[in-house]
Amino acid sequence: MEKTSRFELEKWAGTSDARAEMAREVRAGLSRAPRSIPPKYFYDEVGSRLFDVICDLPEYYLTRAERALLERHAEGIVERARPRTIVEIGSGMARKTGLLLRALCARVPSPTYVPFDIAPEPIAASARALLAAHPTLRVRGVVGDFARDCSRLGGGAHVSNGPRLFAFLGSTLGNLDEREAPALLRSLAGVMSGHDRFLLGVDLVKDPRVLHAAYNDAQGVTAAFNKNVLRVLARQLDGELDEQGFEHLAFYDEERQRIEMHLVSTRAQVLALQAADVRVTLSEGERVLTEISRKFTRDSIEWTLSLGGMRPLEWIAADDGAFALCLARTARGDGG
Ligand code: SAH
Ligand code: AVI
């Protein structure tokens, strides 16, 4: 564990067997139809930085829309949720979390922030900035996989000494499918007390042209983010992958209400990853699914929350209907 007086970083993922796990997951994804790569592998140091650039792109409205909502509502949310600690799942660069932390630090004498992410670099970088901005804040970072490790937020040093606000911002829930999203919510609901609250940022169904542009930006940053996963695989799994052999493809599937992002093989080629025992022959035009980004309605998110053992309490939507925040609690009846 890395530790300075106000910053600690605990590693639950990225340790010695991470490479073997990656090999297993990538092999499984590339051998089934349709072929896929788990989106968590986007976020090495370069991928995390590319995502940060995406957040400022003119076409990528999500970050600005969520920030505008938090600028207006963070204080009220914190006042009503009364947390001592904010735990942020998939915290990344925590670009908007400062708004919640400012309200937390104003209310509580010894506030704690727990950024939880698969990528250590953005946790460390955002912690530096947040600690400088909030002199009373303590940051206890966790490098973990939210699909596997959320239940650990209920034990050890994470046993809560007061209500916690769990934040899952940026509509990252949309990157999980109909089975994965409720499973993640259930694992969070399992560690939440009746006094804890869950704040979810959700991107809403809208004009497909706006969605299409957000994932096909003119500068090609999203394409670079998508292709970067090839470099991650090649580096970590001893691969020979030619980035030139793939093209970025992102489109909105209106029926499934989701963006799909793919890498399309521009020619017949062999995708070989020695350390994963992968040797896959791709035909020209064959697609590898790298990410889904589901878009929600109030009904569909409330349904997802209910499947995940959560009960919605407040719905705060942008005036233009682009994005929403939903405050929820566990559906279990204990306390709160
Ligand atoms: N919440 C931030 C960042 C969103 S980007 C925002 O709103 O801007 C998605 C973040 O989730 C990245 O930082 C990525 O590293 C993290 N992430 C993706 N898959 C993950 C997983 N399986 N476990 C933990 N973190 C994950
Ligand atoms: C992190 N996640 C919510 C982003 C999204 O919009 O689905 C990731 C992303 N993919 C392409 N652009 C941004």
Side-chain angles (χ1 to χ4, degrees):
M1 186 193 299
E2 275 177 49
K3 192 166 179 175
T4 61
S5 54
R6 291 166 56 217
F7 176 57
E8 293 165 41
L9 187 62
E10 216 174 317
K11 288 202 175 170
W12 297 347
T15 48
S16 51
D17 34 61
R19 193 159 174 249
E21 183 184 318
M22 180 181 188
R24 266 195 312 278
E25 290 176 348
V26 169
R27 187 166 56 241
L30 288 175
S31 1
R32 71 172 90 87
R35 296 191 201 279
S36 63
I37 297 169
K40 67 179 170 191
Y41 295 120
F42 281 134
Y43 298 96
D44 69 337
E45 200 171 349
V46 172
S48 296
R49 249 186 285 125
L50 284 169
F51 178 73
D52 203 43
V53 177
I54 288 176
C55 292
D56 283 329
L57 291 172
E59 298 94 335
Y60 197 75
Y61 60 86
L62 287 82
T63 311
R64 283 184 297 280
E66 191 174 44
R67 167 178 288 285
L69 284 175
L70 285 169
E71 273 164 359
R72 274 177 64 191
H73 299 283
E75 220 177 291
I77 289 167
V78 169
E79 203 177 300
R80 293 188 291 283
R82 306 178 150 276
R84 296 272 296 268
T85 299
I86 293 180
V87 181
E88 184 174 11
I89 310 301
S91 49
M93 286 300 290
R95 283 173 148 253
K96 298 146 284 183
T97 321
L99 295 161
L100 292 165
L101 292 173
R102 192 170 61 197
L104 178 74
C105 293
R107 286 184 60 90
V108 173
S110 323
T112 303
Y113 172 50
V114 181
F116 177 112
D117 203 287
I118 196 90
E121 297 86 1
I123 296 182
S126 57
R128 267 194 297 279
L130 291 168
L131 288 167
H134 304 287
T136 58
L137 188 67
R138 185 168 163 219
V139 178
R140 307 196 49 212
V142 175
V143 180
D145 184 338
F146 55 51
R148 187 191 57 198
D149 298 324
C150 285
S151 59
R152 293 179 66 177
L153 290 167
H158 291 277
V159 172
S160 142
N161 65 345
R164 294 186 288 182
L165 176 64
F166 288 79
F168 195 23
L169 302 179
S171 204
T172 301
L173 187 76
N175 298 136
L176 307 182
D177 68 19
E178 285 77 356
R179 185 188 53 80
E180 296 162 335
L184 169 57
L185 296 173
R186 267 195 304 275
S187 71
L188 285 174
V191 297
M192 283 169 64
S193 81
H195 298 282
D196 294 340
R197 294 291 178 263
F198 178 59
L199 180 65
L200 180 65
V202 264
D203 194 20
L204 301 177
V205 168
K206 58 180 60 64
D207 184 340
R209 287 168 301 186
V210 176
L211 290 167
H212 186 271
Y215 294 83
N216 290 281
D217 65 278
Q219 293 171 58
V221 186
T222 308
F225 172 74
N226 193 8
K227 285 187 187 180
N228 178 60
V229 79
L230 295 167
R231 282 198 206 167
V232 175
L233 298 193
R235 188 178 61 239
Q236 309 261 19
L237 300 174
D238 294 337
E240 295 154 35
L241 296 177
D242 174 13
E243 260 187 63
Q244 307 297 325
F246 293 88
E247 265 171 13
H248 166 74
L249 170 71
F251 58 86
Y252 184 58
D253 181 333
E254 281 195 60
E255 209 168 301
R256 302 183 81 174
Q257 300 189 323
R258 67 185 208 179
I259 291 281
E260 284 190 14
M261 210 157 80
H262 298 257
L263 287 165
V264 185
S265 181
T266 55
R267 52 181 159 75
Q269 60 182 315
V270 174
L271 197 160
L273 299 165
Q274 271 192 33
D277 201 17
V278 164
R279 220 183 138 73
V280 171
T281 306
L282 298 175
S283 50
E284 185 181 337
E286 188 166 351
R287 294 174 183 180
V288 178
L289 177 68
T290 49
E291 185 183 69
I292 58 165
S293 191
R294 293 162 66 202
K295 307 302 164 190
F296 297 94
T297 60
R298 183 171 180 176
D299 279 352
S300 69
I301 204 63
E302 291 191 349
W303 172 243
T304 305
L305 283 165
S306 73
L307 293 176
M310 301 261 197
R311 183 153 58 80
L313 296 172
E314 280 182 50
W315 175 257
I316 305 169
D319 294 340
D320 64 359
F323 204 93
L325 295 169
C326 183
L327 190 68
R329 53 163 295 165
T330 160
R332 286 193 324 273
D334 52 333

